[in-house]
Structure formats: C-alpha cells, structure tokens
Amino acid sequence: MSGWRTGAGWALDRSESLSFTFDGKTVPTFKGDTVASALLASGQRIVGRSFKYHRPRGFWGAGSEEPNGIADIHGAQHRPNVQMTLEPAAQGLRLRSINGHPTAEHDRMAFLDRFSRFIPAAFYYKTFMRPDWHLFEPRIRAMAGLGRLDLAAQGFGPSASVNTTCDVLVVGAGPAGLAAAKTEAKAGRKVILCDEGMHVGGSLLYRPARIDGQEARDWVAAMVAELTALGVRILARTTAFGRYDHGLTGLAEAQPGGAAPRIWHVRAAETILAAGAIERHLPFANNDLPGVMSAEAGLHYLARFGVAVGRRVVVATTNGTAYDTARALHEAGAEVTLLDLRGRAAAGQHPFRIIAGQTIETALGRRQVEAVRLASGERIEADTVLVSGGHTPTVHLYSQAQGKLRWDEGLRAFLPGDPVPGLRVIGAAVGIYDLSRILPGQGVVATAYGSSTALWPKPRAKGRIWLDMQNDVTTKDVELAHRENLTSVEHLKRYTTLGMANDQGRMSNLPGLALMAELTGRSIPETGTTTYRPPFSPVPLASFAGLRGGELMNPVRRLPLEAEHRVDGALFREYGGWLRPAWFGPDEGAVMREAKAARQGVGLFDGSPLGKIEVIGPDAAKFVDFIYYNTMSTLKPGRCRYGFVLTEGGAVYDDGVLVRLDENRFIVSCSSSHVQGMGLLLEEWRQDKFDRSRVVIHDTTANYATLTVTGPKSRDLLQAIGLEAALDDASLPHMALTLGQFQGDEVRITRVSFTGDRSYELSIRADRALGLWRRLKEAGRAFDAVLLGGEALMILRAEKGYIVIGKDTDGRTRPMDLGVKGPFEKRKGDYLGRRSLHLPAVADQARDLVGLESLGAEPLPVGAHVVETVAGKRRSRGFVTTSHMSPNLNRPIALGLVEGGSARMGEVVTLHHLGQEVQARIAPVCALDPEGRLLDA
Amino acid sequence: MPESELNHESPERTLVSGDLAAFSRISGVDLANVLRIARDRALVLGNAGLAPGWHDAGFALSDLSAGLAVIDLSGTGLADLAARGTTADLMGPGPSRTISFAGIPVVVEPKDDAVGLHVERGHLAYIWTWFAAVLREPSA
C-alpha cells in the first residue's frame, strides 16, 4: 500500500469532487489538488517509465524539481510533457504517462532494463555501427524523447506577451521574497513579485512555523493583503525562466483555457532573487524506485493536500528539516523510522524511532520500495523512503546574468559570488536556510536547519545508484566517463547526458561532479559547473510566438482598392508581402482570358505596391549613379531608365525603373517585394558613404496608388477619361513621364511597360485612387477593357522575357547573366557590387538567362533541371525559372538559367524533374515581338 | 474592416528630412509640434505650406498624407494594451516617435488623454485584427 488521504489538507475544497483519467484509469480528486497529489492519494505509485531502461518511476518532488512525474494531456487541451506536480487537477483531464506502453504500470519495453549493461552512457558511439549506423538510427531516435505530440490536436491558443518596467522584480514568493517585496514597496518602489506555485508562500505553505505570533500560512495571507494594498503586482503560477541583457527577465505566466503561458518581458531597475533551494537526493542502490521521494515533498503533500505518501516510512536526512516531515507523518498515523545521517539525533523528544549514523545501502523492491537495507545490514520494512541529502541553492538566474559562483565548504554548495549589478540574491538561494535568519526580529518559531553533512556518491559503490532520473544516468556512467578520460565537467555532461533533460540537472549535476571530483582527485570547485542557460524550466514555443500566428504572422499589406477588387470578383493571393488579385472571376480559366484580352485591347492592373522611394538632394544624381549598375545621372528630368541594383557580392538584388522628376529628385520604382529592403539599402549607403546633408531618402510607396493601363488601346482610354496631359508619342514617348490631373488631384503618368505592350502607370494619392479607378473601368467598357490579375501579368511579361527578381534570378545571378554587360565593360567610377564582378569566383558561377521551348505540348515544369551526363553521372547545368502556356502564342513558353546558355541557342537539352525527362530547345528569352513594336502600337 | 475606411480622406502629413531648423525657419512650423522620427527627419502634421522636393536651405519634403492611417487610442485600458504591443512607453516614447508596435513600425503621437498611432495604410487591416485579438484576451 502507498499513499492515502488524511482528513487534513488546507488547499482542498472537499465540497467539489472531480475526476480525471490517468492511463485510462479514473482518479478521484478535489478542487485544489494537483494531478500529482490526486494520484498519490489514489495509491498510484508508478507514474512513468524512465527514458532509457524503462524502469518504473514514481513522484520524487512536489514542484518544478520533479523529474519523473511528467505526462501528456490529451483531448481538447492537448499538451505534451506536463509536470504533474504543478498541474492543477481538473474535471475530465485525460492524461497519458510518458514512455510507458501501453501504460506506466504495464510497459512492454520494461525488458530493456535487463540489457542495461549493453546500453550504458554513450553506447551509441560504440554499438550499432555496422553495417551502417543509419540502419539503426531511426528506431533509436523513435525511442528518444519524453512525451508524444498529437499532430491532430489544436495546440495552444495564443497569448500576447506583455512588456513592463518596474523598480524591483522579486523572483520567489517564499518568506524571503515576501519580506523583500514588502520592504521595497514600503519604500515607495514599484514592485512585481512572481512565484511558480499556485499559491505564494514557498515553504511556509507546508512547514510548521510561527511568525510574529501567527501561524505561517496566516502570516503569508496577511503579507499578501498588505502587499496588494501597497500596490505590489503579485503573479502566481509564473516562472522566471531567464535573465537577459540590460536587466531583462523573462517570466512565463500560466494561462487558463488552453492558452499558451503568457511571456512577460520585465525590465526592472533591480531584481531580487529569492528562488529558494532544491532538496538533494541521497546515493544508495535502487534510489530510483517508486516510493523514494524528497522529504520536503512528503511534508508538502501532507500539509497542503492531506496526502500521506506512505504508511511505513523511512526518513533519511543529513540536516534538521526532515524532522518536521517525520513528525507530521507520525501524527497522521504512519509508522516512521528516521535515519539521522549526521551521526546523532536532533535534540528533543521524538515520537518515532531514530537511528543515528547509519546510511542506506540499498532500497529493496521490484516495482516499488518494499524495504531498505542499512549499511549495518539491518533491514527495515517500508513502502516509502523520504530523503533529504541537503539543499542546493537555486542560483540559475544569477549565473545567467554572468554571476560567478563560489564554493562554500561549510554548506557544501555553490553560492552566488561577486555581486552582479542590478541583481541581489537572498534567503535560501544564498544558503540561508533557517527561517529565523531569513526573518530576523519577527519572533520566528520553526525547526532549525541545524548542522548538516554531505553524502556524495562514492566510486565503486555496490549496485545501481541513480544520479539523473530523467536521462537514466548512474554513478557507473560517471565512472565510465572517467575511464574514457572524459573528465572535464563539460565532457562529463555531454558523454553521459547528465543534466541534459528538461530538469537541467537540478538534482543530478552536483552529485555527478562531486563523484567526478573524487575520481580525479580534484575538489568540487576545481571540477566546476557547466553553463547555466535559459530557460530555467521548459517554456512552450507558442508562448514566444505570442499572437504571431495565423493571419497575424508575417501579415500581408492590403491594397487601397482591395474592397473594390472584391466587389469585382477578384481571387486574392499573396505576392511579395501584399494581398493582391490573382485573377478576376470564378475560376482559374480567367487567367488566360485576361492575358489574351489585354494584348488585344486594354488591361487595367492595380500596381500600387510598386516601390516609390524618393531620392532627393543636390547629390541625388551622384547617389543613384553609385546605387545602380547602370549610369543614371545622365537621365534627363521627365525621363525613366531601367536598371539593376546589385548586392556587394555582385548578384542582382533588384531591378526596376528609375524616374527623374527634376534635377534633385528621383523616384526608385523598385519591385514591390523589395521596397523595405531597398529602402534600407538606400538609407545605409546614404549614411555610410554620402554627405547626409545633401541627399535624403523618403519611402512614399504607401502614399500613392499606381494604376496600370496596358494594351494597344491604352492611350485611347486615357484620352477618353481626360487627364489634362499631352499623351501623344512625341510628348510622352516610351520611358518618359508627364504630370496630369484628375478631379483636381495630380496624377503622375509614367510610360513604362511590364507587359511589352503600350503601357502607362498612373500614380495618384492612395486616398483619391478609387475615383480614378472607377472612371477607368467605366470608360474602359467602350474599349473592352479587362481587369488584369497577377497571374495574367506573369504570362504577359514572360512572353516578353521580362524577369522577376528572385524567380528568374537567384543569389548568384549577375547582370551579365541577364545579357547586360555594357556597364561592367564600359563604366568608369565605382558602383555597388563593382568589385565583386571582377572576382574570378563570381565569374565562374555564370549561368545565362535563356528561353526554353518545350518540344512537347505541355509547359515545362518550373524547377526542372537541365541535365547532362558527365563521366557516367547526371549533372545539373541549370533549371527552369518560369513556365506558362501562352494564350497569345498558343504554345508553352519558359525561361531558365543555364550554364553557357547564350552560346547554345537552338540546342536541344534534356530536363529532369521528379523522375521524368522532357526535352526543350534553348531559345532567345523574348518569345513575342522581339522588335518591340507593341510598345508603340 | 469597414470598406469605407480604406478610402477615407486622410489628414495632411508631410515628411521632412535634412536641416530641420532651416525647415522650421522657412515654413514657420514649430519643431516642438512635429513628430521627430530620426536625427534629421520628422513627420509634420498638417500642410507644411512648401512644395515637395529639395529646398536649397538644406531640406527635402515629401507628401505622406495618404500613406499613413492614424488610430487614436484612449481609455483606462490603454496601458494594458500598450504593454502588449510595445516595449516603449507610448505616452513618452523618447526622442524618436518611431517605435515598433505589434511588430510593425508606427509613429506615435502623444495627445492629452490619448495616443495617436500613425500606421502605414497597407498595415491597417493587420493592426485592426491585432487589436481585436488582444481585446479578446483577459487583462494582464
């Protein structure tokens, strides 16, 4: 028999009975229970199976130090790897143990423990190597990990993170933290106090004590009331998981209703760490058996939840605190034997048997504790062993803040060393364990910590002695690492995986390095510790994502005329970070109709996302000459020029039209997907290379809608709507600009073409665009105008061989690969990327943009590789970048980047794609109207 | 997002860069009343009364009236909302009024009991959706 309910337990509301299931078994519980306390009360001993050996495991602790009690919650609020000691019991929860199949009680993999000698630490470096490690790797990886993720489950709901500042952040709301918060609040400071527990109070929630004449819990309640009245923000169920630069501390606050824990970014002028200390285990054989628990946890479950963890209890301790546990369990009706490992009993009368100076040699039992055998040979029947091997101060956040730890030989613990600015450590976290010293002058009556001793694991001890419960690391694994000369603490960690599971060595690190210290003849401080890194305890990725999911992740920009396009039946897709019409109509057949109609009459296209970045100033011409691969300073006002902008590595970063408005003002009309990047590029070079007082960069893209009118009837349409501008070809030739008016608003009319047809881009203030657009549509009816979506535009530009950056280019494509060699050969003076174009390594990676004519009736697959067989091996010589069926040519068209392509015109090549091969002929990029007559049609 | 909002007439705003003191002298605009967004850049609320482009006194102007939407935030929940959107202090953002709010750059205009957020108009639907998501959450 094991755990059972007493009539006590202040945290429970016994009027509200609930139930949940664990491994399919119904478990009764009360409101106020944790899952762990309810399972213990129901007598459930085995709550999981260990990672490697599938040994039965029970609860060790009552808080975040718990290594074994982890389960997956299934169903509507699925969460894997939940710590049952911190999880409130709730009606209808469905929990599954980890690593036990089909259940923790009856695990079909339990036989693995019999082969433990063949799978010690780091076995995977030595075994399963032949014939090939990769044959075994998938099966071994499938056995790794703890919980299982249900991919069909909804997942966490989002929680927005919160940014806040305060004067003082207090981490830990035990006695030290509560007192510190009160002191700071009374001094008028803005204080935030956080604690990972459901209730604040720390050890005062279960330890018997009187403070200022009050019972401990009453004192806590009074403190909470006083702190609240002083304006202290108290956050329960909130873990301080990490300390970062500039005084930033990350908190994770548990949320109800399946939402992810909320992240708090707290910037405090001062942080006080009152995070307490973690009780240590003791080294004896089979110390991982279900029923072996922390003495502090034994007291915690009894006082708070009314759960006695056993009926025949052995308490083994190296200090005075476990006497509270022994006394309380005795009073609850358990048969208690206390082993005081310090060599003598604590002063006073004790109603239970005490054995002084005798260590435990081994716990006995197959699936749970049944007895212990002492070093003297005496056997004591027991169903529970509660141990206190001392305490390890919780110094994690201090270390994350680059604090240097110092070893205290008296306490046998690492304590905070030199102060870290903005950080103070108090209470048990600096090794002060006595309540009377934490709360001086407050009339504290509590059990003294007393003297303490340390029992580190010894080399060559008999039996299997566990150090790390989560990764199944024993003392023999540390000895193995020593024999293999992996004696540094960093090697010890990685070779054995000691401390690498999600408890991050809270219980295992110190005894592990103490053993290595003895094996190597060093002291513990000489052996040292590994690096403390956040998070202190696991935080779901969903918490860091916050609200950035679904439509709030990488949000697309919306067009000024989106509502109008929706009325016109547009189907929207994302293009370059904007939500834009792909086509207009009920189905994808509209794409071909739009592309054909635009070439025959006139098409209307919303090109508003096109970049409109102004470069202004007396040095603007000099500036654009540097930015562009092509010479731009010779551009006259009122004219446009197409050009490339390169990266410093010589690759084409963007292409577009530069418009010159006047002597000192240009507009960089960059690709819509590159506006932010180009803006940053321009501003960076402005600041780094030019006189900032003589050139400025203004991104005005959002200020204007750009409406494209394209096709042989485009000029007729513009003349019909009346823009008060001369539109004849002499006044407005191709690649020129003029200013017009529409209903009193200025319209910038630029004659540029992305379709190859006569084409005009009308830029007007975005909030005045609707009227112009509707006028174009209305007047366009007389010219059979068609609304043009993005997909049709892609076909029209592909027919002309016009490139799309990032589709027909990649990170290696140079301007000469696109057939533009002139500036490289002729330009004098520096421009962005010039030096790199001269590097042989850059020249050697040449691939030319060419046209590809399919020899079949179907379009070529985009991404298909042009292949050749060289020395018996198939080698890629390029790939297809663009491919469409052309409604204007009635045949497939394609573009591709091919090595030496420009010298291979007419050659038939083989393309390989997803196991299939097709043939194509290399052709000029422009498939339609190579003379360019349509521009003036 | 109400359809009419996207085509609403926008208040006048002008971007000015360069010698801001010269701009103030020539335009008569008090620099205390502009929104500084960089060392040499400011957003002027209202018409600056000068033509766009370069001015020989050493500054340049561009119209940005239609490029930004402005959202006014006010009420007792403002601090809580702000805490979820930004690390900056909305009422006192510091020398630069450009901050990151809900993951996008905005220009902050502190008012008496409210805060104006000048948001690129293309992001208006996104930030509206963000507000709706945050307002559905319990208070922090």
Side-chain angles (χ1 to χ4, degrees):
Chain A
M1 193 43 208
S2 51
W4 47 283
R5 285 245 193 237
T6 70
W10 61 262
L12 301 186
D13 178 359
R14 290 175 193 262
S15 69
E16 199 166 337
S17 299
L18 310 166
S19 69
F20 60 87
T21 63
F22 178 79
D23 278 353
K25 223 161 56 169
T26 301
V27 179
T29 182
F30 293 109
K31 187 175 174 191
D33 258 326
T34 60
V35 169
S37 61
L39 284 170
L40 283 166
S42 72
Q44 182 72 35
R45 264 287 152 99
I46 300 173
V47 296
R49 290 281 170 162
S50 71
F51 171 58
K52 196 162 55 168
Y53 302 128
H54 282 252
R55 286 172 66 85
R57 288 281 162 79
F59 290 110
W60 155 264
S64 65
E65 74 282 5
E66 171 60 35
N68 301 323
I70 297 173
D72 296 337
I73 295 180
H74 286 261
Q77 295 185 12
H78 167 59
R79 274 178 290 145
N81 287 342
V82 167
Q83 252 184 333
M84 293 190 271
T85 50
L86 293 176
E87 185 68 25
Q91 175 64 34
L93 273 182
R94 281 169 42 211
L95 293 125
R96 279 279 289 123
S97 63
I98 55 161
N99 241 19
H101 306 286
T103 66
E105 287 266 6
H106 306 287
D107 176 34
R108 68 172 80 96
M109 302 297 283
F111 72 91
L112 281 174
D113 195 33
R114 288 192 221 131
F115 299 97
S116 60
R117 62 187 303 188
F118 300 110
I119 43 175
F123 72 91
Y124 34 79
Y125 296 127
K126 301 165 189 167
T127 52
F128 304 103
M129 289 292 140
R130 290 198 175 86
D132 187 337
W133 154 249
H134 295 99
L135 288 174
F136 305 98
E137 186 183 4
R139 286 304 312 150
I140 291 174
R141 284 200 186 278
M143 292 163 61
L146 294 176
R148 288 280 175 259
L149 194 61
D150 179 359
L151 295 177
Q154 176 81 359
F156 284 109
S159 291
S161 57
V162 175
N163 303 286
T164 191
T165 59
C166 60
D167 297 316
V168 182
L169 169 67
V170 181
V171 176
L178 287 167
K182 178 177 169 181
T183 302
E184 298 297 329
K186 286 190 88 163
R189 299 193 184 96
K190 181 180 166 195
V191 179
I192 295 176
L193 172 66
C194 69
D195 194 281
E196 68 180 14
M198 278 199 296
H199 306 275
V200 302
S203 60
L204 298 180
L205 297 177
Y206 50 89
R207 282 220 172 270
R210 289 187 69 81
I211 307 165
D212 275 340
Q214 291 176 296
E215 291 296 330
R217 281 187 35 247
D218 293 333
W219 181 87
V220 170
M223 283 290 276
V224 169
E226 190 173 356
L227 290 175
T228 304
L230 287 168
V232 174
R233 181 130 202 196
I234 301 176
L235 299 171
R237 293 198 76 198
T238 302
T239 304
F241 61 83
R243 177 75 175 183
Y244 303 93
D245 289 339
H246 310 302
L248 175 67
T249 304
L251 311 181
E253 179 193 14
Q255 297 294 301
R262 186 189 307 285
I263 300 273
W264 289 69
H265 300 111
V266 180
R267 283 179 173 79
E270 187 184 11
T271 304
I272 298 175
L273 298 182
I278 298 170
E279 194 160 52
R280 291 178 192 158
H281 208 330
L282 284 171
F284 51 88
N286 297 323
N287 59 349
D288 71 322
L289 275 176
V292 179
M293 297 178 68
S294 143
E296 192 146 323
L299 180 61
H300 191 148
Y301 284 115
L302 183 61
R304 190 168 157 196
F305 305 108
V307 176
V309 293
R311 290 197 187 272
R312 300 162 83 179
V313 181
V314 169
V315 178
T317 182
T318 64
N319 58 83
T321 59
Y323 277 75
D324 285 340
T325 305
R327 190 174 306 112
L329 281 166
H330 172 81
E331 288 168 6
E335 181 187 319
V336 177
T337 304
L338 186 142
L339 308 178
D340 195 325
L341 305 176
R342 294 174 292 181
R344 66 187 184 288
Q349 297 291 321
H350 306 288
F352 40 80
R353 182 188 174 200
I354 299 179
I355 302 173
Q358 281 292 320
T359 56
I360 300 176
E361 182 184 87
T362 183
L364 300 168
R366 197 171 68 83
R367 284 160 56 85
Q368 58 183 315
V369 171
E370 293 168 10
V372 296
R373 185 168 64 233
L374 307 185
S376 63
E378 180 181 352
R379 177 185 168 115
I380 303 175
E381 301 302 311
D383 60 16
T384 305
V385 181
L386 299 179
V387 302
S388 180
H391 290 80
T392 299
T394 309
V395 295
H396 299 63
L397 292 186
Y398 167 84
S399 292
Q400 290 172 20
Q402 307 299 304
K404 297 284 176 275
L405 297 173
R406 64 171 183 85
W407 176 252
D408 186 302
E409 188 56 41
L411 288 173
R412 292 168 207 87
F414 282 105
L415 300 180
D418 290 335
V420 170
L423 198 68
R424 209 172 4 127
V425 191
I426 62 174
V430 283
I432 301 173
Y433 303 136
D434 276 312
L435 192 58
S436 58
R437 289 177 61 204
I438 293 173
L439 303 174
Q442 293 193 52
V444 168
V445 178
T447 303
Y449 196 78
S451 64
S452 65
T453 187
L455 274 178
W456 303 123
K458 293 290 178 202
R460 294 171 295 283
K462 275 190 345 192
R464 296 164 83 192
I465 300 169
W466 261 262
L467 297 172
D468 187 320
M469 304 273 203
Q470 289 202 315
N471 274 348
D472 265 344
V473 179
T474 67
T475 54
K476 291 195 182 343
D477 294 314
V478 177
E479 290 167 14
L480 173 64
H482 172 250
R483 285 200 300 278
E484 309 238 336
N485 202 29
L486 293 158
T487 55
S488 84
V489 68
E490 303 286 355
H491 283 146
L492 167 65
K493 172 182 176 178
R494 283 142 182 97
Y495 191 70
T496 65
T497 73
L498 181 83
M500 289 179 70
N502 64 351
D503 74 340
Q504 289 289 290
R506 286 200 193 93
M507 280 171 28
S508 59
N509 277 352
L510 193 50
L513 65 94
L515 175 58
M516 182 58 81
E518 178 141 357
L519 286 166
T520 54
R522 292 176 291 174
S523 67
I524 291 176
E526 282 171 343
T527 309
T529 64
T530 53
T531 305
Y532 292 78
R533 296 188 179 94
F536 172 74
S537 52
V539 179
L541 288 174
S543 294
F544 293 106
L547 290 186
R548 283 167 48 200
E551 60 182 336
L552 294 180
M553 178 158 178
N554 292 338
V556 287
R557 286 173 162 86
R558 315 290 277 268
L559 296 169
L561 298 178
E562 178 182 322
E564 186 77 358
H565 298 324
R566 287 193 184 276
V567 169
D568 283 329
L571 179 124
F572 283 79
R573 279 192 182 155
E574 183 194 334
Y575 295 88
W578 285 81
L579 196 65
R580 306 177 72 170
W583 60 81
F584 290 83
D587 58 69
E588 206 168 344
V591 175
M592 300 294 259
R593 289 193 296 274
E594 290 170 18
K596 197 170 175 74
R599 282 255 189 257
Q600 291 172 349
V602 56
L604 302 177
F605 177 76
D606 185 349
S608 297
L610 259 180
K612 292 162 276 275
I613 304 177
E614 297 189 11
V615 180
I616 315 170
D619 281 355
K622 201 163 72 168
F623 181 82
V624 295
D625 254 359
F626 173 76
I627 293 295
Y628 278 87
Y629 172 64
N630 322 69
T631 302
M632 292 300 192
S633 55
T634 53
L635 191 61
K636 291 183 174 23
R639 286 291 196 260
C640 315
R641 185 170 294 164
Y642 175 77
F644 294 141
V645 175
L646 310 185
T647 65
E648 289 191 75
V652 179
Y653 175 66
D654 196 53
D655 72 328
V657 168
L658 183 71
V659 180
R660 189 165 196 166
L661 296 178
D662 61 44
E663 278 307 306
N664 298 319
R665 197 167 165 213
F666 294 80
I667 298 176
V668 174
S669 184
C670 53
S671 325
S672 46
S673 59
H674 272 121
V675 173
Q676 279 69 50
M678 277 296 293
L680 288 170
L681 182 152
L682 294 169
E683 185 62 37
E684 183 179 348
W685 284 106
R686 171 204 172 227
Q687 292 191 19
D688 281 355
K689 192 176 168 65
F690 287 83
D691 183 346
R692 281 177 276 157
S693 67
R694 294 176 61 82
V695 62
V696 304
I697 312 297
H698 283 173
D699 181 2
T700 64
T701 302
N703 200 51
Y704 299 96
T706 300
L707 312 176
T708 302
V709 184
T710 181
K713 298 179 187 172
S714 54
R715 184 177 55 185
D716 299 335
L717 173 55
L718 293 188
Q719 284 168 337
I721 67 169
L723 290 173
E724 300 177 41
L727 298 175
D728 59 281
D729 286 357
S731 302
L732 187 60
H734 181 61
M735 298 300 270
L737 156 91
T738 190
L739 297 176
Q741 289 264 319
F742 179 76
Q743 294 180 350
D745 292 309
E746 180 182 278
V747 180
R748 212 156 52 212
I749 307 167
T750 319
R751 202 176 145 194
V752 297
S753 179
F754 191 47
T755 61
D757 286 314
R758 173 183 290 274
S759 193
Y760 301 83
E761 289 177 358
L762 313 179
S763 293
I764 187 171
R765 254 177 69 148
D767 56 347
R768 312 283 164 83
L770 183 60
L772 177 56
W773 182 253
R774 284 182 173 169
R775 185 76 187 99
L776 284 167
K777 285 196 298 179
E778 184 195 340
R781 281 191 214 112
F783 303 96
D784 296 322
V786 64
L787 296 178
L788 209 53
E791 294 303 305
L793 184 73
M794 288 293 113
I795 294 177
L796 294 174
R797 67 94 197 167
E799 289 173 344
K800 291 296 297 179
Y802 294 164
I803 61 168
V804 171
I805 293 291
K807 183 171 172 54
D808 303 303
T809 67
D810 64 11
R812 293 165 35 175
T813 309
R814 310 162 308 151
M816 45 286 284
D817 299 337
L818 303 174
V820 184
K821 286 190 268 205
F824 172 68
E825 288 168 352
K826 294 185 187 133
R827 268 193 80 178
K828 308 216 183 325
D830 199 13
Y831 54 85
L832 181 53
R834 177 171 192 257
R835 270 183 294 177
S836 293
L837 291 178
H838 291 273
L839 290 173
V842 173
D844 282 348
Q845 56 196 19
R847 284 171 306 184
D848 301 330
L849 185 73
V850 294
L852 291 165
E853 291 175 359
S854 171
L855 297 192
E858 294 300 314
L860 300 172
V862 174
H865 282 262
V866 174
V867 293
E868 286 179 358
T869 302
V870 176
K873 286 203 161 117
R874 194 162 56 209
R875 190 183 151 235
S876 171
R877 295 289 295 256
F879 55 94
V880 176
T881 61
T882 284
S883 180
H884 297 285
M885 179 58 77
S886 163
N888 296 298
L889 293 165
N890 292 314
R891 63 172 174 81
I893 55 168
L895 300 172
L897 287 165
V898 180
E899 288 176 20
S902 58
R904 299 167 69 176
M905 287 293 148
E907 185 179 322
V908 174
V909 294
T910 302
L911 290 101
H912 181 90
H913 184 68
L914 296 178
Q916 307 289 320
E917 286 193 349
V918 293
Q919 312 254 283
R921 182 177 292 109
I922 296 179
V925 293
C926 182
L928 178 83
D929 179 38
E931 303 85 10
R933 293 200 193 100
L934 293 177
L935 286 172
D936 289 314
Chain B
M1 183 71 219
E3 288 180 4
S4 58
E5 299 298 337
L6 284 172
N7 285 304
H8 202 70
E9 191 83 2
S10 309
E12 299 285 333
R13 277 158 300 190
T14 307
L15 197 57
V16 56
S17 292
D19 188 339
L20 298 182
F23 162 74
S24 175
R25 208 170 49 243
I26 291 172
S27 67
V29 172
D30 186 349
L31 288 184
N33 296 329
V34 305
L35 303 178
R36 293 290 291 270
I37 57 179
R39 279 175 296 181
D40 57 355
R41 181 169 302 159
L43 185 67
V44 180
L45 304 178
N47 196 320
L50 298 172
W54 181 254
H55 291 257
D56 287 337
F59 59 88
L61 296 173
S62 295
D63 178 42
L64 212 53
S65 306
L68 301 173
V70 58
I71 303 168
D72 281 341
L73 306 175
S74 60
T76 53
L78 178 56
D80 194 9
L81 180 74
R84 296 183 204 216
T86 182
T87 57
D89 177 1
L90 272 195
M91 297 310 288
S96 171
R97 297 298 167 86
T98 296
I99 63 167
S100 174
F101 189 93
I104 58 171
V106 305
V107 179
V108 176
E109 181 192 354
K111 302 179 182 179
D112 285 333
D113 286 321
V115 168
L117 298 185
H118 296 255
V119 175
E120 189 190 304
R121 65 180 293 128
H123 275 145
L124 186 55
Y126 156 69
I127 201 155
W128 207 255
T129 309
W130 186 90
F131 283 134
V134 168
L135 292 174
R136 276 196 293 271
E137 291 193 340
S139 299

